[in-house]
Amino acid sequence: MNGAEIYRAYNDAENAHDLVAAERLVAPDLSVEVNGKPAVGSAEDDRAANAALLACYPDYHRRIVGAVVDGDRAAVRWRMLGTPATDGLEPLDVHGCSFVTVADGRITDAALYYDGAALDAVLARAKENTR
């Protein structure tokens, strides 16, 4: 599978709220940057971030808008949507792009770019829970 196909499978697992299946599609030493800053350093960190996202937005889903593939790399444009589970959180409606690299059927590196305070708040909460 190419980078976009693996990302789509990962996205499908997230949208199904199947964190086990999503974790199988990322390398144990996954490295993720968000807007140029280190954010996730392992499959376990990624799973924690996804769990926090689902806890904050139980109806969370991400739509893939488009993808461009270059061998083991892909650029994927997406839109995340979700209704907050509690007061104090903004509704989630974030447009962004992920640049991913894959090897052996797993995402090894990702760089996400977006503008969205709601998603930033969830990622900060996930980071606190993994300390």
Side-chain angles (χ1 to χ4, degrees):
M1 291 196 306
N2 67 39
E5 291 167 333
I6 292 169
Y7 188 89
R8 186 172 300 281
Y10 174 82
N11 191 68
D12 289 347
E14 272 194 3
N15 285 344
H17 300 186
D18 187 346
L19 301 183
V20 173
E23 189 173 11
R24 279 191 228 120
L25 292 164
V26 299
D29 60 347
L30 172 70
S31 175
V32 178
E33 289 185 356
V34 173
N35 294 329
K37 297 179 182 171
V40 172
S42 69
E44 185 177 309
D45 288 351
D46 186 61
R47 184 176 180 160
N50 284 330
L53 188 60
L54 292 172
C56 292
Y57 298 95
D59 65 346
Y60 161 79
H61 61 284
R62 179 176 46 217
R63 295 181 188 150
I64 293 177
V65 177
V68 177
V69 177
D70 181 20
D72 63 352
R73 297 178 298 171
V76 182
R77 193 169 154 229
W78 44 260
R79 181 179 182 193
M80 290 182 178
L81 298 160
T83 307
T86 61
D87 292 336
L89 285 175
E90 298 279 330
L92 188 65
D93 187 355
V94 179
H95 295 260
C97 187
S98 295
F99 296 89
V100 298
T101 302
V102 299
D104 300 321
R106 293 179 171 198
I107 299 169
T108 59
D109 296 281
L112 285 67
Y113 296 93
Y114 63 86
D115 181 22
L119 185 55
D120 287 341
V122 171
L123 291 174
R125 185 176 295 183
K127 199 171 217 176
E128 289 172 11
N129 290 340
T130 58
R131 290 183 184 161

